[in-house]
Amino acid sequence: MLDGKVALVTGSTSGIGLGVARWFAAAGASVVLNGFGEPEEIDAIVEGLRSETGTTAVYSAADMTRPDEISGLVNLALESFGRLDVLVNNAGIFHVGPVDQVPVEKWNLILAVDLSSAFHAIRNALPAMRRQGGGRIINIASALALVGAPLTSAYAAAKHGIIGLTKVVALETAEENITCNAICPGNVWTPLAEARITEQVKTHGLPREQVIRNLLLAEQPNKRFALIEEIAAFATFLASDAAASITGAALPIDGGWTAH
Ligand code: NAD
């Protein structure tokens, strides 16, 4: 589905980003990986991707809080592969706490990673997409880009901001065969989810099933975590030629959370 395409996925050393990169590679794309982690683990990811899919993968440790490094990341894609067809702005971090107790540095960091990094990546990628005659931009937002929840001020503000950015970029590129969309996952089954369950079981002394249903998935009507593969499969479709008319959309994968 993505044969011959080049995709850059930010924050792809773990979780959803890594899943998206794997699906893109399996669909035939060359991929640029990015994110933090132990060098040996990252080497294993890059090697695994190459051997499992036969595709070419390169990696950059660019820090998504730094505009100069984001520009270098886009340049790496262009220098390595000569083009950039798909940009996935996925890198993201989370913080829980009442709005009047969010440390200012934490607010600034979340806005930088979860919102501004997408702006910088998009402004660096667009000239190449325009030269090539098209492209796909996919922003990984959240259900908290569409609704609020207590204790998530910085995250929800950044993710709501991503939806605004998505719409404007879509409108500005609508006649250029470039699409820009946001995927809005609810709770996704990542390694972090297991850690949260264990922590809440300990804190509340409740059975595991009750913690999952009534605490972690309280807002998610279908009472199941989405799988990383569900997000990755949808991102692969959005990146494909078949999704040419979908642009400016905020697309939930949230088991009905935002249908409330
Ligand atoms: P994760 O923690 O598993 O992965 C985050 C990735 O971002 C990692 O590769 C990490 O190294 C990278 N990263 C973090 N800060 C960075 C920085 N400054 N520069 C470069 N890379 C950086 O997270 P995840 O759960 O897979 O989340 C991925 C995206 O999906 C995020 O944007 C998150 O907000 C969104 N999301 C996740 C869920 C969920 O349930 N997991 C739900 C909704 C939305």
Side-chain angles (χ1 to χ4, degrees):
M1 198 144 59
L2 302 180
D3 281 329
K5 307 239 190 235
V6 175
L8 162 54
V9 186
T10 72
S12 45
T13 51
S14 95
I16 294 171
L18 177 55
V20 169
R22 287 198 166 121
W23 270 68
F24 282 4
S30 302
V31 294
V32 181
L33 296 159
N34 158 256
F36 299 146
E38 295 301 319
E40 313 80 59
E41 279 173 33
I42 291 168
D43 284 349
I45 288 170
V46 174
E47 223 17 75
L49 212 64
R50 285 186 188 136
S51 60
E52 283 158 28
T53 64
T55 193
T56 320
V58 296
Y59 163 76
S60 158
D63 181 342
M64 298 306 287
T65 65
R66 302 201 38 161
D68 55 331
E69 295 192 16
I70 297 171
S71 158
L73 177 62
V74 172
N75 281 338
L76 174 71
L78 297 174
E79 282 158 16
S80 304
F81 302 113
R83 56 189 295 122
L84 177 57
D85 301 285
V86 187
L87 166 67
V88 181
N89 291 305
N90 166 79
I93 52 173
F94 191 63
H95 175 76
V96 179
V99 65
D100 55 342
Q101 287 169 38
V102 176
V104 171
E105 309 73 47
K106 191 59 99 177
W107 172 275
N108 288 336
L109 182 64
I110 290 179
L111 269 284
V113 180
D114 293 11
L115 178 57
S116 300
S117 71
F119 158 67
H120 294 298
I122 289 169
R123 74 184 174 83
N124 279 286
L126 271 183
M129 289 183 175
R130 287 189 163 124
R131 270 198 308 277
Q132 292 160 202
R136 295 278 187 270
I137 299 166
I138 301 167
N139 299 318
I140 305 298
S142 165
L144 294 175
L146 301 170
V147 295
L151 312 181
T152 65
S153 55
Y155 185 80
K159 295 293 188 181
H160 274 70
I162 275 282
I163 302 300
L165 179 65
T166 300
K167 290 176 179 173
V168 172
V169 172
L171 293 171
E172 290 184 6
T173 59
E175 290 189 47
E176 299 176 285
N177 191 30
I178 295 170
T179 68
C180 181
N181 292 291
I183 296 178
C184 303
N187 285 288
V188 182
W189 186 253
T190 62
L192 202 66
E194 187 58 59
R196 283 173 65 208
I197 294 168
T198 310
E199 176 201 305
Q200 302 269 321
V201 165
K202 221 187 278 172
T203 311
H204 300 282
L206 293 170
R208 180 184 163 89
E209 279 319 302
Q210 214 168 315
V211 162
I212 293 175
R213 271 191 76 84
N214 301 344
L215 295 177
L216 296 185
L217 300 182
E219 304 289 348
Q220 199 148 314
N222 69 343
K223 300 297 176 195
R224 67 177 280 274
F225 288 89
L227 302 178
I228 288 174
E229 290 73 17
E230 295 173 63
I231 315 298
F234 191 49
T236 305
F237 173 70
L238 282 181
S240 75
D241 293 343
S245 295
I246 304 176
T247 195
L251 301 150
I253 305 182
D254 66 0
W257 179 339
T258 55
H260 275 127

